């Protein structure tokens, strides 16, 4: 797939060869950030005449240390692509590799362990536990995995999102933007090399959403993480190195370091 004309005149995506040193539960030498590869992805729901082809042969690579926004009309397959690449859904056919590992071939338990250590997840609905404190929500993945909670890592994750002084509060006492920042801190807790975000600013106002997008952009630039984000918002997409556009389960275009106006112009004919 060739980048659009306006994209070819813009700067190429930033790249990074490694992640920042880990200061959380697995502190030590830096880990390589793997490239993510999806090959000939098909995802079909249902059978026969009622079958819905959410993905129809998608090939895509997410380079280490880059921020990619996935866009397209409703029903284009963008969330399905994210879920398959993130190991939350299995493609009907095709493969997904995290570095050398074919995650589509892994048993569910091994895949779940890989997701817990190698990826962080951020969603539109914050998915916080209201009866738990902010600190307990950040550490929840460790508790679910049966591993020791690293208090210093919890504190560091909250400091990264500007909530170091709110750890003892319940989520209900926070604004929507602050709750989403807690969700980002939870994703950052284990220092994963890859972040997946599904409409992370969809429930936020523009100013608050900008703060969350800056957090994601900083994690890519400062630490060499790889971020894959689904969004319908051209403004959000403008924070990415690359925007890939889906329609009817196919990749139809790509923009490199576009402005919000360029993204909006590209999507205007796709009935987003």
């Amino acid at each position: 797939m060739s980048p659009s004309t306006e994209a070819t005149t813009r700067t190429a995506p930033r790249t990074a060869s490694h992640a920042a040193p880990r200061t959380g539960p697995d502190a030590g030498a830096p880990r390589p950030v793997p490239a993510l590869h999806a090959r000939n992805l098909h995802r079909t729901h249902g059978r026969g005449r009622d079958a819905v082809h959410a993905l129809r042969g998608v090939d895509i690579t997410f380079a280490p240390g880059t921020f990619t926004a996935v866009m397209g009309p409703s029903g284009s397959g963008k969330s399905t692509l994210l879920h398959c690449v993130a190991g939350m859904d299995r493609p009907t056919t095709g493969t997904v590799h995290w570095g050398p590992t074919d995650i589509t071939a892994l048993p569910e338990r091994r895949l779940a362990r890989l997701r817990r250590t190698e990826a962080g997840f951020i969603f539109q609905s914050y998915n916080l536990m209201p009866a738990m404190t902010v600190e307990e929500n950040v550490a929840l993945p460790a508790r679910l995995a049966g591993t020791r909670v690293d208090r210093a890592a919890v504190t560091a994750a909250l400091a990264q999102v500007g909530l170091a002084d709110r750890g003892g509060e319940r989520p209900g006492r926070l604004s929507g933007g602050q709750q989403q920042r807690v969700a980002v801190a939870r994703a950052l807790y284990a220092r994963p090399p890859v972040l997946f975000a599904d409409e992370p600013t969809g429930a936020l106002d523009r100013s608050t959403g900008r703060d969350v997008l800056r957090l994601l952009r900083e994690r890519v630039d400062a630490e060499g993480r790889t971020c894959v984000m689904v969004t319908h918002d051209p403004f959000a997409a403008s924070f990415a190195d690359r925007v890939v556009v889906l329609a009817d389960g196919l990749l139809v275009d790509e923009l490199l370091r576009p402005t919000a106006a360029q993204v909006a112009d590209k999507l205007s004919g796709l009935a987003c």
Side-chain angles (χ1 to χ4, degrees), residues 3 7-17 61-69 217 220-221 225-227 239-244 254-258:
T8 59
T9 63
R10 300 184 66 83
T11 306
R14 302 177 181 90
T15 59
S17 60
T61 296
F62 301 96
T66 58
F67 189 166
T68 300
R217 181 75 256 178
V220 173
D221 293 340
R225 300 181 194 233
T226 302
C227 184
F239 281 75
D241 300 309
R242 175 179 65 151
V243 176
V244 294
E254 176 178 296
L255 305 172
L256 301 181
R257 302 302 303 278

Side-chain angles (χ1 to χ4, degrees), residues 110-189:
R110 287 184 59 193
L111 179 56
R113 287 197 298 269
L114 188 68
R115 286 197 303 261
R116 284 195 294 264
T117 59
E118 299 300 305
F121 300 90
I122 307 159
F123 302 98
Q124 180 176 342
S125 56
Y126 322 126
N127 294 336
L128 303 179
M129 303 299 291
M132 293 182 173
T133 66
V134 165
E135 288 179 341
E136 289 169 340
N137 271 282
V138 172
L140 184 59
R143 293 186 181 278
L144 293 175
T147 58
R148 179 182 61 86
V149 173
D150 187 315
R151 301 294 179 186
V154 172
T155 300
L158 286 172
Q160 282 184 305
V161 301
L163 293 175
D165 60 340
R166 308 298 291 272
E169 297 188 27
R170 298 287 192 272
R173 294 181 59 85
L174 305 180
S175 69
Q178 289 170 330
Q179 290 186 58
Q180 187 63 301
R181 282 194 275 162
V182 174
V184 173
R186 182 178 58 198
L188 296 176
Y189 163 76

Side-chain angles (χ1 to χ4, degrees), residues 4-240:
S4 62
T5 301
E6 68 268 26
T8 59
T9 63
R10 300 184 66 83
T11 306
R14 302 177 181 90
T15 59
S17 60
H18 60 79
R22 293 168 68 82
T23 58
D26 302 315
R31 285 187 303 168
V33 177
L36 309 179
H37 305 279
R39 293 291 177 264
N40 197 30
L41 281 192
H42 290 257
R43 184 65 174 100
T44 301
H45 303 282
R47 296 182 179 181
R49 297 176 61 183
D50 296 326
V52 176
H53 301 283
L55 297 175
R56 298 190 291 150
V58 172
D59 293 323
I60 190 167
T61 296
F62 301 96
T66 58
F67 189 166
T68 300
V70 182
M71 305 192 76
S74 178
S76 63
K78 55 186 182 294
S79 288
T80 301
L81 176 62
L82 179 78
H83 293 165
C84 287
V85 172
M88 295 184 290
D89 188 18
R90 292 188 184 270
T92 305
T93 60
T95 60
V96 176
H97 282 77
W98 292 7
T101 303
D102 180 359
I103 69 168
T104 53
L106 294 180
E108 189 56 41
R109 283 191 178 183
R110 287 184 59 193
L111 179 56
R113 287 197 298 269
L114 188 68
R115 286 197 303 261
R116 284 195 294 264
T117 59
E118 299 300 305
F121 300 90
I122 307 159
F123 302 98
Q124 180 176 342
S125 56
Y126 322 126
N127 294 336
L128 303 179
M129 303 299 291
M132 293 182 173
T133 66
V134 165
E135 288 179 341
E136 289 169 340
N137 271 282
V138 172
L140 184 59
R143 293 186 181 278
L144 293 175
T147 58
R148 179 182 61 86
V149 173
D150 187 315
R151 301 294 179 186
V154 172
T155 300
L158 286 172
Q160 282 184 305
V161 301
L163 293 175
D165 60 340
R166 308 298 291 272
E169 297 188 27
R170 298 287 192 272
R173 294 181 59 85
L174 305 180
S175 69
Q178 289 170 330
Q179 290 186 58
Q180 187 63 301
R181 282 194 275 162
V182 174
V184 173
R186 182 178 58 198
L188 296 176
Y189 163 76
R191 308 275 302 172
V194 183
L195 296 172
F196 294 103
D198 195 352
E199 299 282 8
T201 62
L204 306 176
D205 61 58
R206 178 59 61 91
S207 177
T208 306
R210 182 187 292 112
D211 291 340
V212 171
L213 292 164
R214 284 174 176 163
L215 283 171
L216 296 178
R217 181 75 256 178
E218 287 167 2
R219 302 287 65 79
V220 173
D221 293 340
E223 300 170 359
R225 300 181 194 233
T226 302
C227 184
V228 183
M229 175 182 70
V230 164
T231 182
H232 68 278
D233 182 4
F235 174 76
S238 70
F239 281 75

